[in-house]
Amino acid sequence: MADPPTGRADVSQLFQLLRDGRPRTRAELSKSTGLARSTVTGRVDELLRLGLITPVGEAASTGGRPPSQFALNPGAKVVIAADLGASHATVALADLTGELLAEHAEPLPIDLGPEPVLTWVVDGARALLERTGRSERDVAAIGIGLPGPVEHSTGQPVNPPIMPGWDRFDVPGWMREHLDVPVLVDNDVNISALGERAFAWPGTEHFMFVKVATGIGAGIISDGLLQRGAQGTAGDIGHVRAARDVDVPCRCGNHGCLEALAAGPAIARTLAAQGLDARTGSDVVELVKRGELAAIQAVRQAGRDIGEVLTTAVSLINPSVIAIGGSMARVSEHLIAGVREIVYTRSSPLATEHLAIVQSAAGRSAAVRGAAILAVEHALSPEGLAHAFAPR
Amino acid sequence: MADPPTGRADVSQLFQLLRDGRPRTRAELSKSTGLARSTVTGRVDELLRLGLITPVGEAASTGGRPPSQFALNPGAKVVIAADLGASHATVALADLTGELLAEHAEPLPIDLGPEPVLTWVVDGARALLERTGRSERDVAAIGIGLPGPVEHSTGQPVNPPIMPGWDRFDVPGWMREHLDVPVLVDNDVNISALGERAFAWPGTEHFMFVKVATGIGAGIISDGLLQRGAQGTAGDIGHVRAARDVDVPCRCGNHGCLEALAAGPAIARTLAAQGLDARTGSDVVELVKRGELAAIQAVRQAGRDIGEVLTTAVSLINPSVIAIGGSMARVSEHLIAGVREIVYTRSSPLATEHLAIVQSAAGRSAAVRGAAILAVEHALSPEGLAHAFAPR
């Protein structure tokens, strides 16, 4: 007779179907997977025992006892999500749909270095677990966003310009000494793309998130997948040469980069040259809020400069939505108006026919939402499942 | 007792493992899939009976009779591949690894319209089948490349500028009246990316193919997947505004597009203005071959103009290889020298550290090779498998 099947592949196959949240009967599961009814029954029992799925409602009866339906149990586990910005940090707990359950944010300079900042994350996560009555055993994975380039495969920052002490620091290794679950690390703009899409544009397969703040960067989702590129630098548009030939030096060592022309500090410099009191992006935000015409015009011009680069992005990537976030976009519609002006003028009709260019709806929470999704995606994958739900 | 499993999912699961060509034993297949040994034995027999896999060599014995190994049988079926250019067409047969078995090419203007051109493909394919001793029943799928935008999901050209009569023509529907197998259609630059990568850069996950001929376009592969974008226009870089602010009108209706500045006819125009006898890209090629300095300089400048746009592509997509093909790149290294000059000067060190910018190695055959891969990928997918190997 046959060796008994190991069953792991079957369980994972069933669970991958059920994780979309749509309830299904045993008969539907058998049909979708091609597994025998008896096998499905055994695997469903196993997933119920683990608490990973839960019986839901009742399916339409086909006569006799109505068959039970099952779906993902979003509260079976939690994930920890952290968004670590240049000067501000957020830590949150989320359920297995990525929904935020609790969060805590405070000013925290990233240049304190990795150990103090990550200790803050561990302490904050433990406090949130306690507040929500969950234990460390309930944590399936941790997602972390950092304000610089990250090698996603190792979770290590690589030459991050504003993060002294973080270069090649083993973030997952350090974290796992304190919380022994898988740790996923990515840069904040990439995870903002994940978070913004889940929050405002679920199901959009070709999506781009552009952050305009102290720097400028983009996160790209194509065919539903976050694009990182060969070295993880995909979306790094801050150092593309701007179309306007202005010979401004950039902190990267080159001249005329988009960031040196259109990010917050660059707009402030333009305004200071006109005699206005502006040194930082926050000063620009204040001037725009006060209705200062020169500031509004400078922000709109920054939008046009960004639009020139996004026109090329539209031709290359053909997204259906570009969401623009970051402090410079949040303050008003002027930046986005400048972007739209150029992109809709310069791009091919086919590429812009169904293109929406919009303000970020998730706002400041885009990154921490994305960190949660990064963790959930891993925890619920066949690979992550083996770890997350093994008895500890 | 249990209902019998339908088995289709199991068969497909086994075959997806075996299609990489690496031989595996039944024990290895059981371990990789989690299926019972008895199930694997049954499924292997089924795949052997269909001729889809074949026994290969002998695995290292662990004592007793050496276990047999199995792998994809590349000759089990064939695919038809067609590359239809503006004025030239190629039709070929390929095996299930995408290797070309036979091909036929001749001048054929695409503006004859769809029926005459596709009739040529059908007749040519039948002649190749006869020449190689295969029957129409052996054909698993057809891949076709067209010189214009194609909606990949329907296989229909959409507003193709140089293809009168082809707009929204149902290419797969027409073909299936003559050869009833799945028909995959894409634009020639996208399939050239597939073909060039398979020919010269197998395993490269982040790859870009740029064609510079009468027009300019790019095919992008990210994470190993061809990128088409929301409307199928991804890679359409010909109408990005060039960095050099030259106000040339473009056939698209805009001004200053890359194509209007750096494609073959544009270079010819530049040379004609200098008093040289050049009207087409072919004239430019002739002048470069003759060592005409002005022509060499103009081609190099075109390379720089293309390089400006590719710099943005490198920042956005972060490929590890950019292969440049098309008649303007094939003639000499001058175009690529211009591209390299700009991209390596303007891009971030991290993005270019491991970036190769090279001439196409597959040359004219890149597109027809890609058409074969398009067809093979579909035929061997779980979805395609059901059709391709159903008894007819």
Side-chain angles (χ1 to χ4, degrees):
Chain A
M1 257 306 286
D3 306 341
T6 70
R8 285 253 55 91
D10 293 349
V11 173
S12 177
Q13 200 185 346
L14 276 195
F15 184 69
Q16 296 309 314
L17 269 179
L18 286 166
R19 57 177 279 207
D20 68 2
R22 185 164 77 75
R24 289 178 181 80
T25 62
R26 293 184 185 87
E28 286 168 336
L29 289 169
S30 174
K31 197 168 167 217
S32 301
T33 56
L35 295 171
R37 279 292 287 278
S38 59
T39 310
V40 167
T41 299
R43 302 296 170 256
V44 163
D45 288 349
E46 197 175 334
L47 287 165
L48 282 169
R49 192 169 46 72
L50 288 165
L52 267 178
I53 63 170
T54 187
V56 185
E58 297 296 339
S61 173
T62 54
R65 193 169 59 89
S68 292
Q69 291 185 304
F70 306 93
L72 172 71
N73 174 13
K77 294 272 172 175
V78 294
V79 297
I80 296 169
D83 165 30
L84 305 174
S87 57
H88 205 263
T90 305
V91 60
L93 291 188
D95 70 16
L96 293 180
T97 66
E99 189 71 27
L100 300 185
L101 303 172
E103 63 180 292
H104 171 69
E106 64 183 70
L108 183 77
I110 195 84
D111 61 12
L112 287 179
E115 302 209 1
V117 170
L118 295 176
T119 300
W120 180 90
V121 172
V122 171
D123 292 347
R126 285 189 173 135
L128 292 176
L129 286 168
E130 199 177 325
R131 201 209 293 174
T132 55
R134 307 294 302 232
S135 85
E136 287 186 24
R137 290 176 47 112
D138 291 339
V139 178
I142 302 176
I144 299 178
L146 294 173
V150 174
E151 189 177 77
H152 183 68
S153 57
T154 61
Q156 296 180 5
V158 182
N159 294 322
I162 61 165
M163 298 169 63
W166 287 81
D167 188 27
R168 286 284 170 199
F169 185 82
D170 181 9
V171 177
W174 191 93
M175 287 297 289
R176 294 191 74 152
E177 284 174 24
H178 300 79
L179 288 161
D180 189 22
V181 292
V183 178
L184 293 303
V185 191
D186 209 328
N187 88 62
D188 59 347
V189 187
N190 279 351
I191 60 171
S192 294
L194 290 177
E196 179 72 27
R197 184 176 77 128
F199 184 76
W201 301 90
T204 298
E205 294 279 282
H206 300 274
F207 183 82
M208 198 167 162
F209 180 87
V210 180
K211 180 178 176 179
V212 187
T214 307
I216 297 178
I220 299 162
I221 294 172
S222 294
D223 282 321
L225 300 171
L226 188 60
Q227 303 294 311
R228 296 190 173 91
Q231 264 72 44
T233 68
D236 187 9
I237 60 171
H239 304 282
V240 167
R241 184 188 223 147
R244 259 201 308 152
D245 204 2
V246 184
D247 198 28
V248 208
C250 180
R251 58 177 174 163
C252 76
N254 239 319
H255 281 70
C257 296
L258 180 63
E259 194 166 295
L261 211 67
I267 303 174
R269 219 164 26 241
T270 305
L271 294 176
Q274 294 174 31
L276 286 158
D277 181 22
R279 274 167 309 160
T280 66
S282 306
D283 297 337
V284 176
V285 168
E286 276 313 304
L287 289 167
V288 171
K289 277 187 188 161
R290 277 197 262 137
E292 176 66 50
L293 187 61
I296 291 171
Q297 288 173 334
V299 167
R300 183 159 182 136
Q301 180 56 44
R304 290 192 198 103
D305 293 332
I306 295 164
E308 294 281 356
V309 174
L310 293 185
T311 299
T312 305
V314 165
S315 297
L316 274 169
I317 293 165
N318 185 203
S320 55
V321 176
I322 299 178
I324 306 188
S327 54
M328 291 299 116
R330 269 201 298 276
V331 64
S332 73
E333 279 280 326
H334 301 296
L335 186 94
I336 290 166
V339 171
R340 288 195 185 118
E341 178 185 327
I342 298 298
V343 173
Y344 289 122
T345 309
R346 293 293 320 166
S347 301
S348 82
L350 191 58
T352 52
E353 191 183 348
H354 303 285
L355 172 66
I357 301 174
V358 298
Q359 203 161 19
S360 162
R364 284 182 202 279
S365 77
V368 76
R369 287 175 190 279
I373 291 165
L374 200 65
V376 166
E377 285 295 319
H378 178 82
L380 300 189
S381 70
E383 183 197 355
L385 208 58
H387 176 97
F389 302 98
R392 262 179 283 159
Chain B
M1 256 305 287
D3 306 340
T6 69
R8 284 256 54 93
D10 293 350
V11 173
S12 177
Q13 198 185 349
L14 276 194
F15 184 69
Q16 295 310 315
L17 269 180
L18 287 166
R19 57 178 281 205
D20 67 2
R22 186 163 78 75
R24 291 178 180 79
T25 62
R26 292 185 187 87
E28 286 168 337
L29 289 169
S30 174
K31 193 166 169 219
S32 301
T33 57
L35 294 170
R37 279 293 285 279
S38 59
T39 309
V40 167
T41 299
R43 302 296 170 256
V44 162
D45 288 349
E46 196 176 335
L47 287 165
L48 283 169
R49 192 168 46 73
L50 288 165
L52 266 177
I53 63 170
T54 188
V56 186
E58 297 296 339
S61 172
T62 55
R65 191 170 60 89
S68 292
Q69 290 185 305
F70 307 93
L72 172 71
N73 174 12
K77 294 274 172 176
V78 294
V79 298
I80 296 170
D83 165 30
L84 306 174
S87 57
H88 205 264
T90 305
V91 61
L93 291 187
D95 69 15
L96 293 180
T97 66
E99 189 72 26
L100 300 185
L101 303 172
E103 64 180 291
H104 171 70
E106 63 183 70
L108 183 77
I110 195 85
D111 60 12
L112 288 179
E115 302 209 2
V117 170
L118 295 176
T119 299
W120 180 91
V121 172
V122 171
D123 292 348
R126 286 190 173 133
L128 292 176
L129 286 168
E130 200 177 324
R131 200 209 292 173
T132 54
R134 306 295 302 235
S135 85
E136 286 186 23
R137 290 175 47 110
D138 291 340
V139 178
I142 302 176
I144 299 178
L146 295 174
V150 174
E151 189 177 77
H152 183 66
S153 57
T154 61
Q156 296 179 6
V158 182
N159 295 322
I162 61 165
M163 298 168 65
W166 287 81
D167 188 26
R168 285 287 171 196
F169 185 82
D170 180 10
V171 177
W174 190 94
M175 287 298 290
R176 295 191 73 152
E177 284 174 23
H178 301 80
L179 288 161
D180 189 23
V181 292
V183 178
L184 293 302
V185 190
D186 209 327
N187 89 61
D188 59 347
V189 187
N190 279 352
I191 60 171
S192 294
L194 290 177
E196 179 72 28
R197 184 177 77 130
F199 184 77
W201 301 91
T204 299
E205 294 281 283
H206 299 274
F207 183 82
M208 197 167 164
F209 180 87
V210 180
K211 180 178 175 178
V212 187
T214 307
I216 298 177
I220 300 162
I221 294 172
S222 294
D223 281 322
L225 300 171
L226 188 59
Q227 304 293 311
R228 295 190 175 91
Q231 265 72 44
T233 68
D236 187 9
I237 60 170
H239 303 283
V240 166
R241 184 188 223 149
R244 258 200 310 151
D245 203 2
V246 184
D247 198 28
V248 209
C250 180
R251 57 177 174 162
C252 76
N254 239 320
H255 281 70
C257 296
L258 179 63
E259 196 166 296
L261 211 70
I267 303 173
R269 222 168 20 244
T270 304
L271 294 175
Q274 294 174 32
L276 286 158
D277 182 20
R279 275 167 308 160
T280 66
S282 306
D283 298 336
V284 176
V285 168
E286 276 313 305
L287 289 167
V288 171
K289 277 186 187 162
R290 276 197 263 136
E292 177 65 49
L293 186 62
I296 290 171
Q297 288 172 334
V299 167
R300 182 159 182 136
Q301 180 57 44
R304 290 191 199 103
D305 293 332
I306 295 164
E308 294 281 357
V309 174
L310 293 184
T311 299
T312 306
V314 164
S315 298
L316 273 168
I317 294 166
N318 184 204
S320 54
V321 176
I322 299 178
I324 305 189
S327 54
M328 290 299 117
R330 269 200 298 277
V331 65
S332 73
E333 278 280 327
H334 301 297
L335 187 93
I336 290 166
V339 171
R340 288 194 183 118
E341 180 186 326
I342 298 297
V343 174
Y344 289 121
T345 310
R346 294 289 322 164
S347 301
S348 83
L350 191 58
T352 53
E353 191 183 347
H354 302 287
L355 172 66
I357 300 174
V358 298
Q359 202 160 18
S360 161
R364 285 183 201 280
S365 77
V368 76
R369 288 176 190 279
I373 290 164
L374 200 63
V376 166
E377 285 295 320
H378 178 82
L380 299 189
S381 69
E383 183 198 354
L385 209 58
H387 176 97
F389 302 99
R392 262 180 284 157

